[in-house]
């Protein structure tokens, strides 16, 4: 069964802390994505990566960075967490181009910043 | 950028049909999707339609696409309590094919017994 695994389902952090959210996929997908989900706003793309060590900004990259050192792993980093980053974070992956573009999602990481 | 709009709430009785609507602005999208999110879970693809189609049927699901009006809808026949979830429409931004999608706000479907 194909899988996208997010290492932490729930995190509580303090303002100013550095936060790492990890995502691993076992489908040998080229593309990986980090979305943020907020009620009434849907999903907004933070960053995505279409290859190892490659990254591109999405629609709301401010306050975030990412790392993709291995094909299966895509990390989201909050250098200095702020309360407005309290949210649900969803990781997703997809195969390379020339297909339907279906995304496979992890179960999400709910982050609370106090 | 791309704008995708959905109404936030829909409430139906078990056994009735549900229709969830979506409007969008980017006419270059080649695929349009419906994703379902159950409580405490990530999103799962329900169905998708290619932009040169008007309709797609898959068991209880019917997708209608009106490209002229930039309107997409999802009809669920014989809605069950297990269909209660958040439904997102999404488009591949700028017609890209590698999964960079733009999502609507999500419609919370509540099914009453």
């Amino acid at each position: 069964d194909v899988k996208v695994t997010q290492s932490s389902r729930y995190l509580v952090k303090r303002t100013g802390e550095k936060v790492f959210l990890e995502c691993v996929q076992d489908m040998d997908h080229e593309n990986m994505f980090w979305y943020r989900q907020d009620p009434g706003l849907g999903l907004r793309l933070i960053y995505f990566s279409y290859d190892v060590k490659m990254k591109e900004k999405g629609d709301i990259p401010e306050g975030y960075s990412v790392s993709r050192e291995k094909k299966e792993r895509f990390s989201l980093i909050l250098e200095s967490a702020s309360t407005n980053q309290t949210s649900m974070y969803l990781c997703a992956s997809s195969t390379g181009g020339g297909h339907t573009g279906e995304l496979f999602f992890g179960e999400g990481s709910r982050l609370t910043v106090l | 950028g791309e704008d995708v709009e959905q109404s936030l709430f829909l409430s139906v009785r078990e056994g009735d049909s549900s229709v969830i609507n979506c409007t969008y602005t980017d006419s270059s999208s080649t695929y349009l999707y419906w994703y379902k999110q159950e409580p405490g879970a990530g999103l799962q693809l329900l169905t998708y339609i290619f932009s040169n189609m008007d309709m797609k049927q898959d068991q209880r699901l019917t997708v209608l696409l009106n490209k002229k009006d930039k309107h997409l809808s999802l009809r669920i026949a014989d809605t069950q309590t297990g269909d209660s979830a958040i439904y997102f429409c999404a488009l591949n931004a700028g017609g890209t094919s590698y999964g960079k999608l733009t999502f609507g706000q999500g419609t919370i479907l509540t099914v009453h017994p």
Side-chain angles (χ1 to χ4, degrees), chain A residues 14-45:
Chain A
R14 294 202 176 274
T15 301
E17 282 192 81
K18 191 168 185 175
V19 181
F20 292 89
L21 299 180
E22 305 283 342
C23 175
V24 176
Q25 49 95 3
D26 64 0
M27 296 168 279
D28 200 35
H29 282 168
E30 286 77 12
N31 310 309
M32 296 188 74
F33 305 81
W34 276 106
Y35 283 89
R36 170 178 171 157
Q37 181 181 6
D38 299 288
L41 297 178
L43 275 70
R44 294 178 290 167
L45 182 63

PDB file of all heavy atoms in Angstrom, chain A residues 14-45:
ATOM      1  N   ARG A  14       6.789  26.606  21.295  1.00  0.00           N
ATOM      2  CA  ARG A  14       6.719  27.977  21.809  1.00  0.00           C
ATOM      3  C   ARG A  14       7.206  28.950  20.732  1.00  0.00           C
ATOM      4  O   ARG A  14       8.033  28.599  19.873  1.00  0.00           O
ATOM      5  CB  ARG A  14       7.553  28.119  23.056  1.00  0.00           C
ATOM      6  CG  ARG A  14       7.011  27.300  24.210  1.00  0.00           C
ATOM      7  CD  ARG A  14       7.484  27.825  25.560  1.00  0.00           C
ATOM      8  NE  ARG A  14       6.867  27.076  26.634  1.00  0.00           N
ATOM      9  CZ  ARG A  14       5.673  27.362  27.138  1.00  0.00           C
ATOM     10  NH1 ARG A  14       4.965  28.343  26.658  1.00  0.00           N
ATOM     11  NH2 ARG A  14       5.180  26.634  28.120  1.00  0.00           N
ATOM     12  N   THR A  15       6.698  30.157  20.799  1.00  0.00           N
ATOM     13  CA  THR A  15       7.125  31.216  19.889  1.00  0.00           C
ATOM     14  C   THR A  15       8.642  31.337  19.891  1.00  0.00           C
ATOM     15  O   THR A  15       9.261  31.338  20.964  1.00  0.00           O
ATOM     16  CB  THR A  15       6.500  32.561  20.310  1.00  0.00           C
ATOM     17  OG1 THR A  15       5.079  32.428  20.300  1.00  0.00           O
ATOM     18  CG2 THR A  15       6.891  33.665  19.352  1.00  0.00           C
ATOM     19  N   GLY A  16       9.214  31.391  18.685  1.00  0.00           N
ATOM     20  CA  GLY A  16      10.653  31.534  18.549  1.00  0.00           C
ATOM     21  C   GLY A  16      11.407  30.221  18.405  1.00  0.00           C
ATOM     22  O   GLY A  16      12.586  30.229  18.032  1.00  0.00           O
ATOM     23  N   GLU A  17      10.759  29.108  18.704  1.00  0.00           N
ATOM     24  CA  GLU A  17      11.432  27.813  18.567  1.00  0.00           C
ATOM     25  C   GLU A  17      11.599  27.452  17.100  1.00  0.00           C
ATOM     26  O   GLU A  17      10.817  27.867  16.238  1.00  0.00           O
ATOM     27  CB  GLU A  17      10.621  26.713  19.258  1.00  0.00           C
ATOM     28  CG  GLU A  17      10.759  26.666  20.750  1.00  0.00           C
ATOM     29  CD  GLU A  17      10.160  25.386  21.329  1.00  0.00           C
ATOM     30  OE1 GLU A  17      10.852  24.345  21.285  1.00  0.00           O
ATOM     31  OE2 GLU A  17       9.020  25.432  21.791  1.00  0.00           O
ATOM     32  N   LYS A  18      12.594  26.621  16.833  1.00  0.00           N
ATOM     33  CA  LYS A  18      12.790  26.072  15.490  1.00  0.00           C
ATOM     34  C   LYS A  18      12.004  24.762  15.409  1.00  0.00           C
ATOM     35  O   LYS A  18      12.074  23.940  16.331  1.00  0.00           O
ATOM     36  CB  LYS A  18      14.271  25.832  15.238  1.00  0.00           C
ATOM     37  CG  LYS A  18      14.616  25.521  13.780  1.00  0.00           C
ATOM     38  CD  LYS A  18      16.116  25.586  13.563  1.00  0.00           C
ATOM     39  CE  LYS A  18      16.461  25.402  12.098  1.00  0.00           C
ATOM     40  NZ  LYS A  18      17.908  25.572  11.818  1.00  0.00           N
ATOM     41  N   VAL A  19      11.269  24.601  14.322  1.00  0.00           N
ATOM     42  CA  VAL A  19      10.394  23.442  14.196  1.00  0.00           C
ATOM     43  C   VAL A  19      10.733  22.694  12.903  1.00  0.00           C
ATOM     44  O   VAL A  19      10.904  23.312  11.843  1.00  0.00           O
ATOM     45  CB  VAL A  19       8.910  23.870  14.151  1.00  0.00           C
ATOM     46  CG1 VAL A  19       8.010  22.640  14.052  1.00  0.00           C
ATOM     47  CG2 VAL A  19       8.549  24.696  15.391  1.00  0.00           C
ATOM     48  N   PHE A  20      10.842  21.382  13.016  1.00  0.00           N
ATOM     49  CA  PHE A  20      11.062  20.526  11.845  1.00  0.00           C
ATOM     50  C   PHE A  20       9.852  19.619  11.657  1.00  0.00           C
ATOM     51  O   PHE A  20       9.468  18.910  12.571  1.00  0.00           O
ATOM     52  CB  PHE A  20      12.299  19.639  12.050  1.00  0.00           C
ATOM     53  CG  PHE A  20      13.590  20.376  12.068  1.00  0.00           C
ATOM     54  CD1 PHE A  20      14.097  20.882  13.257  1.00  0.00           C
ATOM     55  CD2 PHE A  20      14.320  20.555  10.902  1.00  0.00           C
ATOM     56  CE1 PHE A  20      15.301  21.566  13.280  1.00  0.00           C
ATOM     57  CE2 PHE A  20      15.532  21.237  10.913  1.00  0.00           C
ATOM     58  CZ  PHE A  20      16.013  21.745  12.106  1.00  0.00           C
ATOM     59  N   LEU A  21       9.309  19.629  10.462  1.00  0.00           N
ATOM     60  CA  LEU A  21       8.255  18.676  10.118  1.00  0.00           C
ATOM     61  C   LEU A  21       8.805  17.769   9.021  1.00  0.00           C
ATOM     62  O   LEU A  21       9.268  18.248   7.991  1.00  0.00           O
ATOM     63  CB  LEU A  21       6.995  19.409   9.615  1.00  0.00           C
ATOM     64  CG  LEU A  21       6.336  20.369  10.600  1.00  0.00           C
ATOM     65  CD1 LEU A  21       5.120  21.018   9.983  1.00  0.00           C
ATOM     66  CD2 LEU A  21       5.939  19.647  11.885  1.00  0.00           C
ATOM     67  N   GLU A  22       8.742  16.455   9.296  1.00  0.00           N
ATOM     68  CA  GLU A  22       9.339  15.489   8.376  1.00  0.00           C
ATOM     69  C   GLU A  22       8.272  14.726   7.605  1.00  0.00           C
ATOM     70  O   GLU A  22       7.207  14.404   8.143  1.00  0.00           O
ATOM     71  CB  GLU A  22      10.184  14.488   9.163  1.00  0.00           C
ATOM     72  CG  GLU A  22      11.259  15.095  10.042  1.00  0.00           C
ATOM     73  CD  GLU A  22      12.461  15.542   9.242  1.00  0.00           C
ATOM     74  OE1 GLU A  22      12.613  15.097   8.086  1.00  0.00           O
ATOM     75  OE2 GLU A  22      13.230  16.367   9.754  1.00  0.00           O
ATOM     76  N   CYS A  23       8.604  14.422   6.362  1.00  0.00           N
ATOM     77  CA  CYS A  23       7.674  13.681   5.506  1.00  0.00           C
ATOM     78  C   CYS A  23       8.471  12.673   4.688  1.00  0.00           C
ATOM     79  O   CYS A  23       9.504  13.022   4.094  1.00  0.00           O
ATOM     80  CB  CYS A  23       6.948  14.658   4.581  1.00  0.00           C
ATOM     81  SG  CYS A  23       5.874  13.878   3.358  1.00  0.00           S
ATOM     82  N   VAL A  24       7.983  11.447   4.651  1.00  0.00           N
ATOM     83  CA  VAL A  24       8.651  10.390   3.884  1.00  0.00           C
ATOM     84  C   VAL A  24       7.617   9.689   3.021  1.00  0.00           C
ATOM     85  O   VAL A  24       6.522   9.369   3.492  1.00  0.00           O
ATOM     86  CB  VAL A  24       9.313   9.362   4.834  1.00  0.00           C
ATOM     87  CG1 VAL A  24       9.919   8.229   4.037  1.00  0.00           C
ATOM     88  CG2 VAL A  24      10.359  10.032   5.705  1.00  0.00           C
ATOM     89  N   GLN A  25       7.989   9.439   1.757  1.00  0.00           N
ATOM     90  CA  GLN A  25       7.092   8.691   0.864  1.00  0.00           C
ATOM     91  C   GLN A  25       7.819   7.464   0.339  1.00  0.00           C
ATOM     92  O   GLN A  25       9.027   7.488   0.096  1.00  0.00           O
ATOM     93  CB  GLN A  25       6.591   9.582  -0.282  1.00  0.00           C
ATOM     94  CG  GLN A  25       7.641  10.360  -1.032  1.00  0.00           C
ATOM     95  CD  GLN A  25       8.153   9.710  -2.304  1.00  0.00           C
ATOM     96  OE1 GLN A  25       7.685   8.622  -2.714  1.00  0.00           O
ATOM     97  NE2 GLN A  25       9.130  10.345  -2.954  1.00  0.00           N
ATOM     98  N   ASP A  26       7.039   6.390   0.132  1.00  0.00           N
ATOM     99  CA  ASP A  26       7.649   5.124  -0.291  1.00  0.00           C
ATOM    100  C   ASP A  26       7.276   4.755  -1.718  1.00  0.00           C
ATOM    101  O   ASP A  26       7.317   3.578  -2.095  1.00  0.00           O
ATOM    102  CB  ASP A  26       7.255   4.011   0.684  1.00  0.00           C
ATOM    103  CG  ASP A  26       5.764   3.721   0.696  1.00  0.00           C
ATOM    104  OD1 ASP A  26       5.010   4.375  -0.056  1.00  0.00           O
ATOM    105  OD2 ASP A  26       5.346   2.836   1.468  1.00  0.00           O
ATOM    106  N   MET A  27       6.892   5.748  -2.518  1.00  0.00           N
ATOM    107  CA  MET A  27       6.392   5.476  -3.867  1.00  0.00           C
ATOM    108  C   MET A  27       7.405   5.864  -4.941  1.00  0.00           C
ATOM    109  O   MET A  27       7.081   5.855  -6.128  1.00  0.00           O
ATOM    110  CB  MET A  27       5.088   6.245  -4.079  1.00  0.00           C
ATOM    111  CG  MET A  27       3.998   5.773  -3.148  1.00  0.00           C
ATOM    112  SD  MET A  27       2.571   6.878  -3.124  1.00  0.00           S
ATOM    113  CE  MET A  27       3.149   8.137  -2.019  1.00  0.00           C
ATOM    114  N   ASP A  28       8.612   6.259  -4.536  1.00  0.00           N
ATOM    115  CA  ASP A  28       9.645   6.688  -5.481  1.00  0.00           C
ATOM    116  C   ASP A  28       9.163   7.863  -6.346  1.00  0.00           C
ATOM    117  O   ASP A  28       9.504   7.987  -7.527  1.00  0.00           O
ATOM    118  CB  ASP A  28      10.070   5.524  -6.397  1.00  0.00           C
ATOM    119  CG  ASP A  28      11.429   5.770  -7.043  1.00  0.00           C
ATOM    120  OD1 ASP A  28      12.298   6.375  -6.386  1.00  0.00           O
ATOM    121  OD2 ASP A  28      11.615   5.379  -8.217  1.00  0.00           O
ATOM    122  N   HIS A  29       8.362   8.743  -5.733  1.00  0.00           N
ATOM    123  CA  HIS A  29       7.846   9.911  -6.459  1.00  0.00           C
ATOM    124  C   HIS A  29       8.905  10.994  -6.585  1.00  0.00           C
ATOM    125  O   HIS A  29       9.678  11.237  -5.658  1.00  0.00           O
ATOM    126  CB  HIS A  29       6.628  10.481  -5.725  1.00  0.00           C
ATOM    127  CG  HIS A  29       5.384   9.698  -5.965  1.00  0.00           C
ATOM    128  ND1 HIS A  29       4.246   9.888  -5.218  1.00  0.00           N
ATOM    129  CD2 HIS A  29       5.094   8.723  -6.859  1.00  0.00           C
ATOM    130  CE1 HIS A  29       3.305   9.073  -5.657  1.00  0.00           C
ATOM    131  NE2 HIS A  29       3.794   8.353  -6.651  1.00  0.00           N
ATOM    132  N   GLU A  30       8.886  11.661  -7.740  1.00  0.00           N
ATOM    133  CA  GLU A  30       9.829  12.754  -7.964  1.00  0.00           C
ATOM    134  C   GLU A  30       9.407  14.023  -7.203  1.00  0.00           C
ATOM    135  O   GLU A  30      10.259  14.762  -6.716  1.00  0.00           O
ATOM    136  CB  GLU A  30       9.918  13.106  -9.456  1.00  0.00           C
ATOM    137  CG  GLU A  30      10.680  12.101 -10.311  1.00  0.00           C
ATOM    138  CD  GLU A  30       9.875  10.851 -10.622  1.00  0.00           C
ATOM    139  OE1 GLU A  30       8.651  10.838 -10.375  1.00  0.00           O
ATOM    140  OE2 GLU A  30      10.469   9.888 -11.126  1.00  0.00           O
ATOM    141  N   ASN A  31       8.122  14.284  -7.188  1.00  0.00           N
ATOM    142  CA  ASN A  31       7.632  15.564  -6.684  1.00  0.00           C
ATOM    143  C   ASN A  31       7.091  15.449  -5.262  1.00  0.00           C
ATOM    144  O   ASN A  31       6.368  14.504  -4.939  1.00  0.00           O
ATOM    145  CB  ASN A  31       6.498  16.079  -7.578  1.00  0.00           C
ATOM    146  CG  ASN A  31       6.859  16.068  -9.037  1.00  0.00           C
ATOM    147  OD1 ASN A  31       7.905  16.585  -9.429  1.00  0.00           O
ATOM    148  ND2 ASN A  31       6.017  15.471  -9.857  1.00  0.00           N
ATOM    149  N   MET A  32       7.424  16.420  -4.440  1.00  0.00           N
ATOM    150  CA  MET A  32       6.889  16.468  -3.082  1.00  0.00           C
ATOM    151  C   MET A  32       6.477  17.897  -2.755  1.00  0.00           C
ATOM    152  O   MET A  32       7.064  18.852  -3.283  1.00  0.00           O
ATOM    153  CB  MET A  32       7.903  15.934  -2.072  1.00  0.00           C
ATOM    154  CG  MET A  32       8.220  14.457  -2.286  1.00  0.00           C
ATOM    155  SD  MET A  32       9.233  13.725  -0.991  1.00  0.00           S
ATOM    156  CE  MET A  32       8.024  13.575   0.345  1.00  0.00           C
ATOM    157  N   PHE A  33       5.469  17.996  -1.883  1.00  0.00           N
ATOM    158  CA  PHE A  33       4.830  19.286  -1.628  1.00  0.00           C
ATOM    159  C   PHE A  33       4.553  19.447  -0.133  1.00  0.00           C
ATOM    160  O   PHE A  33       4.274  18.479   0.556  1.00  0.00           O
ATOM    161  CB  PHE A  33       3.469  19.358  -2.342  1.00  0.00           C
ATOM    162  CG  PHE A  33       3.542  19.094  -3.823  1.00  0.00           C
ATOM    163  CD1 PHE A  33       3.602  17.798  -4.314  1.00  0.00           C
ATOM    164  CD2 PHE A  33       3.542  20.138  -4.727  1.00  0.00           C
ATOM    165  CE1 PHE A  33       3.670  17.543  -5.675  1.00  0.00           C
ATOM    166  CE2 PHE A  33       3.615  19.899  -6.091  1.00  0.00           C
ATOM    167  CZ  PHE A  33       3.680  18.597  -6.559  1.00  0.00           C
ATOM    168  N   TRP A  34       4.591  20.695   0.325  1.00  0.00           N
ATOM    169  CA  TRP A  34       4.070  21.041   1.633  1.00  0.00           C
ATOM    170  C   TRP A  34       2.955  22.059   1.453  1.00  0.00           C
ATOM    171  O   TRP A  34       3.147  23.118   0.831  1.00  0.00           O
ATOM    172  CB  TRP A  34       5.155  21.638   2.532  1.00  0.00           C
ATOM    173  CG  TRP A  34       5.974  20.610   3.228  1.00  0.00           C
ATOM    174  CD1 TRP A  34       7.255  20.244   2.949  1.00  0.00           C
ATOM    175  CD2 TRP A  34       5.564  19.815   4.348  1.00  0.00           C
ATOM    176  NE1 TRP A  34       7.662  19.255   3.801  1.00  0.00           N
ATOM    177  CE2 TRP A  34       6.661  18.970   4.680  1.00  0.00           C
ATOM    178  CE3 TRP A  34       4.398  19.717   5.103  1.00  0.00           C
ATOM    179  CZ2 TRP A  34       6.612  18.063   5.739  1.00  0.00           C
ATOM    180  CZ3 TRP A  34       4.349  18.811   6.137  1.00  0.00           C
ATOM    181  CH2 TRP A  34       5.440  18.005   6.460  1.00  0.00           C
ATOM    182  N   TYR A  35       1.775  21.692   2.007  1.00  0.00           N
ATOM    183  CA  TYR A  35       0.630  22.580   2.023  1.00  0.00           C
ATOM    184  C   TYR A  35       0.291  22.920   3.471  1.00  0.00           C
ATOM    185  O   TYR A  35       0.539  22.137   4.390  1.00  0.00           O
ATOM    186  CB  TYR A  35      -0.598  21.905   1.407  1.00  0.00           C
ATOM    187  CG  TYR A  35      -0.610  21.829  -0.099  1.00  0.00           C
ATOM    188  CD1 TYR A  35      -0.046  20.736  -0.762  1.00  0.00           C
ATOM    189  CD2 TYR A  35      -1.207  22.825  -0.859  1.00  0.00           C
ATOM    190  CE1 TYR A  35      -0.080  20.654  -2.156  1.00  0.00           C
ATOM    191  CE2 TYR A  35      -1.243  22.749  -2.243  1.00  0.00           C
ATOM    192  CZ  TYR A  35      -0.676  21.668  -2.886  1.00  0.00           C
ATOM    193  OH  TYR A  35      -0.711  21.576  -4.248  1.00  0.00           O
ATOM    194  N   ARG A  36      -0.356  24.046   3.617  1.00  0.00           N
ATOM    195  CA  ARG A  36      -0.898  24.445   4.907  1.00  0.00           C
ATOM    196  C   ARG A  36      -2.419  24.506   4.754  1.00  0.00           C
ATOM    197  O   ARG A  36      -2.918  25.038   3.753  1.00  0.00           O
ATOM    198  CB  ARG A  36      -0.319  25.804   5.265  1.00  0.00           C
ATOM    199  CG  ARG A  36      -0.929  26.458   6.436  1.00  0.00           C
ATOM    200  CD  ARG A  36      -0.285  27.776   6.776  1.00  0.00           C
ATOM    201  NE  ARG A  36      -1.104  28.408   7.788  1.00  0.00           N
ATOM    202  CZ  ARG A  36      -0.670  29.322   8.630  1.00  0.00           C
ATOM    203  NH1 ARG A  36       0.579  29.756   8.558  1.00  0.00           N
ATOM    204  NH2 ARG A  36      -1.501  29.834   9.507  1.00  0.00           N
ATOM    205  N   GLN A  37      -3.150  23.933   5.738  1.00  0.00           N
ATOM    206  CA  GLN A  37      -4.606  23.915   5.680  1.00  0.00           C
ATOM    207  C   GLN A  37      -5.189  24.704   6.842  1.00  0.00           C
ATOM    208  O   GLN A  37      -4.914  24.395   8.005  1.00  0.00           O
ATOM    209  CB  GLN A  37      -5.137  22.475   5.720  1.00  0.00           C
ATOM    210  CG  GLN A  37      -6.656  22.401   5.628  1.00  0.00           C
ATOM    211  CD  GLN A  37      -7.173  20.983   5.701  1.00  0.00           C
ATOM    212  OE1 GLN A  37      -6.435  20.041   5.922  1.00  0.00           O
ATOM    213  NE2 GLN A  37      -8.477  20.819   5.482  1.00  0.00           N
ATOM    214  N   ASP A  38      -5.988  25.694   6.523  1.00  0.00           N
ATOM    215  CA  ASP A  38      -6.678  26.497   7.529  1.00  0.00           C
ATOM    216  C   ASP A  38      -8.165  26.556   7.189  1.00  0.00           C
ATOM    217  O   ASP A  38      -8.532  26.664   6.005  1.00  0.00           O
ATOM    218  CB  ASP A  38      -6.101  27.913   7.578  1.00  0.00           C
ATOM    219  CG  ASP A  38      -4.635  27.928   7.948  1.00  0.00           C
ATOM    220  OD1 ASP A  38      -4.350  27.656   9.127  1.00  0.00           O
ATOM    221  OD2 ASP A  38      -3.783  28.185   7.078  1.00  0.00           O
ATOM    222  N   PRO A  39      -9.031  26.513   8.216  1.00  0.00           N
ATOM    223  CA  PRO A  39     -10.481  26.528   7.957  1.00  0.00           C
ATOM    224  C   PRO A  39     -10.893  27.753   7.140  1.00  0.00           C
ATOM    225  O   PRO A  39     -10.504  28.874   7.441  1.00  0.00           O
ATOM    226  CB  PRO A  39     -11.082  26.578   9.366  1.00  0.00           C
ATOM    227  CG  PRO A  39     -10.044  25.981  10.245  1.00  0.00           C
ATOM    228  CD  PRO A  39      -8.728  26.388   9.656  1.00  0.00           C
ATOM    229  N   GLY A  40     -11.697  27.499   6.105  1.00  0.00           N
ATOM    230  CA  GLY A  40     -12.183  28.598   5.272  1.00  0.00           C
ATOM    231  C   GLY A  40     -11.193  29.093   4.232  1.00  0.00           C
ATOM    232  O   GLY A  40     -11.558  29.886   3.370  1.00  0.00           O
ATOM    233  N   LEU A  41      -9.950  28.611   4.310  1.00  0.00           N
ATOM    234  CA  LEU A  41      -8.927  29.029   3.342  1.00  0.00           C
ATOM    235  C   LEU A  41      -8.481  27.879   2.450  1.00  0.00           C
ATOM    236  O   LEU A  41      -7.743  28.093   1.480  1.00  0.00           O
ATOM    237  CB  LEU A  41      -7.706  29.615   4.059  1.00  0.00           C
ATOM    238  CG  LEU A  41      -7.944  30.874   4.867  1.00  0.00           C
ATOM    239  CD1 LEU A  41      -6.655  31.317   5.565  1.00  0.00           C
ATOM    240  CD2 LEU A  41      -8.466  32.010   3.976  1.00  0.00           C
ATOM    241  N   GLY A  42      -8.869  26.671   2.777  1.00  0.00           N
ATOM    242  CA  GLY A  42      -8.462  25.529   1.972  1.00  0.00           C
ATOM    243  C   GLY A  42      -6.992  25.197   2.165  1.00  0.00           C
ATOM    244  O   GLY A  42      -6.425  25.432   3.230  1.00  0.00           O
ATOM    245  N   LEU A  43      -6.384  24.679   1.116  1.00  0.00           N
ATOM    246  CA  LEU A  43      -4.963  24.327   1.161  1.00  0.00           C
ATOM    247  C   LEU A  43      -4.174  25.373   0.396  1.00  0.00           C
ATOM    248  O   LEU A  43      -4.545  25.742  -0.725  1.00  0.00           O
ATOM    249  CB  LEU A  43      -4.723  22.959   0.511  1.00  0.00           C
ATOM    250  CG  LEU A  43      -4.919  21.725   1.372  1.00  0.00           C
ATOM    251  CD1 LEU A  43      -6.384  21.514   1.697  1.00  0.00           C
ATOM    252  CD2 LEU A  43      -4.340  20.503   0.672  1.00  0.00           C
ATOM    253  N   ARG A  44      -3.103  25.822   0.995  1.00  0.00           N
ATOM    254  CA  ARG A  44      -2.214  26.780   0.337  1.00  0.00           C
ATOM    255  C   ARG A  44      -0.812  26.189   0.258  1.00  0.00           C
ATOM    256  O   ARG A  44      -0.303  25.675   1.245  1.00  0.00           O
ATOM    257  CB  ARG A  44      -2.211  28.104   1.095  1.00  0.00           C
ATOM    258  CG  ARG A  44      -3.555  28.838   1.051  1.00  0.00           C
ATOM    259  CD  ARG A  44      -3.517  30.113   1.864  1.00  0.00           C
ATOM    260  NE  ARG A  44      -3.440  29.843   3.289  1.00  0.00           N
ATOM    261  CZ  ARG A  44      -3.153  30.750   4.206  1.00  0.00           C
ATOM    262  NH1 ARG A  44      -2.894  31.997   3.854  1.00  0.00           N
ATOM    263  NH2 ARG A  44      -3.122  30.423   5.476  1.00  0.00           N
ATOM    264  N   LEU A  45      -0.213  26.302  -0.915  1.00  0.00           N
ATOM    265  CA  LEU A  45       1.083  25.685  -1.162  1.00  0.00           C
ATOM    266  C   LEU A  45       2.203  26.527  -0.567  1.00  0.00           C
ATOM    267  O   LEU A  45       2.336  27.721  -0.866  1.00  0.00           O
ATOM    268  CB  LEU A  45       1.291  25.519  -2.670  1.00  0.00           C
ATOM    269  CG  LEU A  45       2.567  24.844  -3.113  1.00  0.00           C
ATOM    270  CD1 LEU A  45       2.633  23.404  -2.602  1.00  0.00           C
ATOM    271  CD2 LEU A  45       2.668  24.866  -4.643  1.00  0.00           C
TER     272      LEU A  45
END
